[in-house]
Structure formats: C-alpha cells, structure tokens
Amino acid sequence: GDETISKQLDPPLEGAEISTSIHDELAEQELRLMLFIQSIPGLKAVSMAVHYSLLPQIVTPTLAVFTWMVSLPKAASLICFVCVSDLLNTAVKWTFQRPRPLWYSSNTTLEAKHGSSSSKSWEADFSFPSAHTQFFAGLAFCASILSGFDTFLGMTFALAFGFGAIVGVTRNYLGVHWPTDTTVGLILGAVLGTLWGTNDPYAYLLQQADPTLSLTVAATLTGSLVGLLSLVRALVPDVDEATLAEWSSNVRSHMPNTTFRPRPREIRSKISMLSTIFCTLAFTALCPDHLPTAMSEPVGDGMLQTLVGLGGLGGTTMLLKQSAVVQQLELSSAEMKTTWKGLAYSGICAWTFLLTQVVSHKLFSTPVF
C-alpha cells in the first residue's frame, strides 16, 4: 500500500541541496508509477533496444545511410538538430544535477532491469531530463515536418508524441529515469523538433548559397552552445563529495559490483556534438562550387552512393584504429584526445555530407551541374 511504498524511500540527505530537490512526496508518487511499469511483462527487450540504440556505432551509420539513400538536406538537418537538442539537454542536466532513481535511495524495491552489474550497462550522467526520450521525440517531430507529413498535422503529431512516450516508458522500466524526467524530455523534444523542422536552418543555408553566411551561422550557433554550457558550469556548483558518496553507496546496494561516479561536467565530453553541428552547417559553404545538387541529393542511384559512403566510413574507422597516432594518444593529454576526436568527427561530417556525393558522381559519371 501507500504506507509500504513510503517506507521504501530513505529520508533526504542532510546538506545535499541538489539531491533534495526531489522531494519525498514526489519521489513516492514517481516510485509507485515506476514499480507499476516494471510489473508490465514483455518490456525488457524493447527497453534494452532503445537503451543501446544511441551508441555512436549504431546511430552514426544509421543516420548516414539515411543521408545517402533518402535525402541529404533532410538527413543533414536532422543530424544537426539532434546534436543541438543533445547539448540543450546536457545544459539542463548540468543545471539540475538530479540523481537517477537508483542513486537516490538504497531502500527501494526498484530493480535495475538491464540485469547487469557493469557500469557500462546503464547511465552515468544526471537524470533530468531524459536524453533518450528527448532524442526520439525530437527526431519524430522534426522528421515529420521535414518530410512534409505535417500536412496531416493532428495524426502525425499524435503518432510522434506516442512514439516518444513509449520510449519514455522504456526508460522508466529500466529504472534509469524518473517519470518526470521522461515527461519533460518528451515535451522538450516535441517543442525543439517542431521549431527546428519548421525553420530548417540547413536547407536555408543551402538555398542562400552564401559561404560567409554559412560560416557565420555555424560559428555563432556552436559558440552559443559552448557559452551556455560554460555559463551553467560557472553558475551551478558541482555536487558535493558527501552526496556523491551517498549516491555511490545507494548504487552499490542495487548493483554490488558497479563502480559508480557521475560523468564530470566537462565540455570536452561534448566535442563530437559540437564538431558535428559546426561542420554540418559550415560545409554548406562548399556546396555551391563543389556540390550544386545538394538540395536534390541523392542524385542517381542511392544504393550505389550508400555503398561508397559505407565503404569510406568503414575504411576511415579501420585507419583510425590502426593509426600510430591513436596509439600514442593513449598516453597523451586529455586535450590532445579531445582535439583528435573533434578532427575525426569533422572528417566523418565531410565524408557524409559532401565527399561521398562528389566521389559517387565521379565514379558513376552522374552529372552534378
């Protein structure tokens, strides 16, 4: 009953201003809902699929294939959007620093449904809002608008909203997010996806064919996001060590073999997103001279372009793994590793949004003018 669930929560930590932002009463209500969700049969497989779907080795080639098979301008815009959305999600996480459910209390019947004690099998960043929910909800809303499906506005948005809500439920099922995390993630994704899809900055830059404008927009947006993250770090102090120790103890009570510490609030951890945003928008400056068909890509056989694209991505990945430079970086500074990672993602963007198309046209004699 309600009394039993109330006893499952520890009292708030003394002196832990950040963790006690989740009041006991709200935590009780959310725990009750999460326990109900975890009792629903058949959710584990889809929850784990959603959980691992945002790994770079999965999401990067998937979105790249969409670029080569379906539409360069739509896919590039979508990729840029999800990176912007992720950074805004990070800014909110760094502001609230809300503990995930399994961090909050050791005295609950909530399960770690992923079934693994490995720290790599669950999330190590903060809880609010849910990045997975925001990603998929934003993706659904933005893709619907970019694809023109918003003609059937009510039905399309209802499906997109439902899709995002299902993703949110899977996060609650695994015990990695509170229901308010997923609710706010769903709303943020819907709002941001609608705004981006309606305005479509990438297509606008392609249509303007103004290199100066492209570089200015790319630098301004990327710089603004770096500034936002820096401002949050400056204004909001880190979680104190006593609270971190308490969270770590709570986590080990659920997963005894897990080594726990939240991911540090470091801007360099977001270099892949920042590089992708800047390069995606900046490379529109090269399209008037080198890829004038950009708004119509793929031109010719999309399957052939995809084979060229995947071959290039695969070859680049193998070279990076075997590179002596990478081996040396294992012993070098974090700044050098960050720089190398930024350059690697810049190269991936160049290959995905420009060079694959140019090479394909050369190989298969597809006219580009």
Side-chain angles (χ1 to χ4, degrees), residues 26 61 174 328:
L26 175 60
L174 290 179
Q328 293 172 4

Side-chain angles (χ1 to χ4, degrees), residues 13-74:
L13 308 177
E14 293 184 7
E17 290 127 3
I18 294 174
S19 66
T20 56
S21 65
I22 308 174
H23 300 294
D24 279 348
E25 183 177 353
L26 175 60
E28 289 179 27
Q29 297 299 323
E30 297 204 61
L31 175 64
R32 184 179 295 108
L33 179 55
M34 293 177 70
L35 291 174
F36 169 74
I37 292 172
Q38 288 197 334
S39 71
I40 300 174
L43 279 181
K44 183 169 184 178
V46 65
S47 297
M48 293 303 292
V50 169
H51 184 73
Y52 287 111
S53 63
L54 293 191
L55 290 173
Q57 53 266 45
I58 294 176
V59 72
T60 300
T62 299
L63 292 176
V65 167
F66 183 74
T67 303
W68 302 320
M69 283 287 293
V70 181
S71 171
L72 166 62
K74 291 181 175 62

Side-chain angles (χ1 to χ4, degrees), residues 51-104:
H51 184 73
Y52 287 111
S53 63
L54 293 191
L55 290 173
Q57 53 266 45
I58 294 176
V59 72
T60 300
T62 299
L63 292 176
V65 167
F66 183 74
T67 303
W68 302 320
M69 283 287 293
V70 181
S71 171
L72 166 62
K74 291 181 175 62
S77 186
L78 203 57
I79 290 168
C80 191
F81 160 69
V82 295
C83 291
V84 171
S85 178
D86 178 85
L87 292 173
L88 293 175
N89 178 276
T90 298
V92 180
K93 283 183 186 291
W94 287 5
T95 299
F96 289 93
Q97 300 182 88
R98 186 185 195 185
R100 291 178 182 267
L102 296 176
W103 310 1
Y104 182 65

